[in-house]
Amino acid sequence: MTFLMHWTFKTGYHAIAAKKFLSTGAPFPACKSWKRFHGPGSVEGWILVESDNADACYEHAAEWAECLDWEVTPVHTDDQAGPFMAKVYS
């Protein structure tokens, strides 16, 4: 399943989170794949995660909860969502 994890820095935690990120690389080993995106000049970013288990998202968010607020959403591609729409609207 694919999850979109949206994060924002908590007030006063940007430097702490940046130093932690630079020293650890913020690994995400419990996933099949993932891509991290940063909003330049902002205090937010996104991680697109592919995992069979939502627990991987929970664990990663918990590791960073001191510095970041999270919103995690399961998402589908058009190909995945299409059959559900067809079932409802056909």
Side-chain angles (χ1 to χ4, degrees):
M1 181 158 215
T2 305
F3 299 90
L4 181 62
M5 299 180 70
H6 175 241
W7 53 264
T8 55
F9 287 109
K10 291 181 177 179
T11 302
Y13 282 86
H14 189 274
I16 294 166
K19 289 174 184 175
K20 181 177 178 180
F21 175 77
L22 292 171
S23 68
T24 67
F28 211 140
C31 300
K32 292 180 189 177
S33 66
W34 54 275
K35 283 185 148 187
R36 187 178 293 120
F37 303 89
H38 300 260
S42 74
V43 294
E44 64 183 330
W46 302 263
I47 308 173
L48 192 59
V49 178
E50 185 68 33
S51 179
D52 293 330
N53 191 339
D55 293 351
C57 297
Y58 183 88
E59 183 178 339
H60 191 73
E63 290 173 7
W64 288 86
E66 175 188 4
C67 303
L68 305 174
D69 287 319
W70 290 95
E71 187 174 312
V72 181
T73 307
V75 295
H76 290 297
T77 64
D78 288 348
D79 290 340
Q80 293 168 316
F84 298 115
M85 284 187 228
K87 183 177 177 181
V88 172
Y89 296 106
S90 293

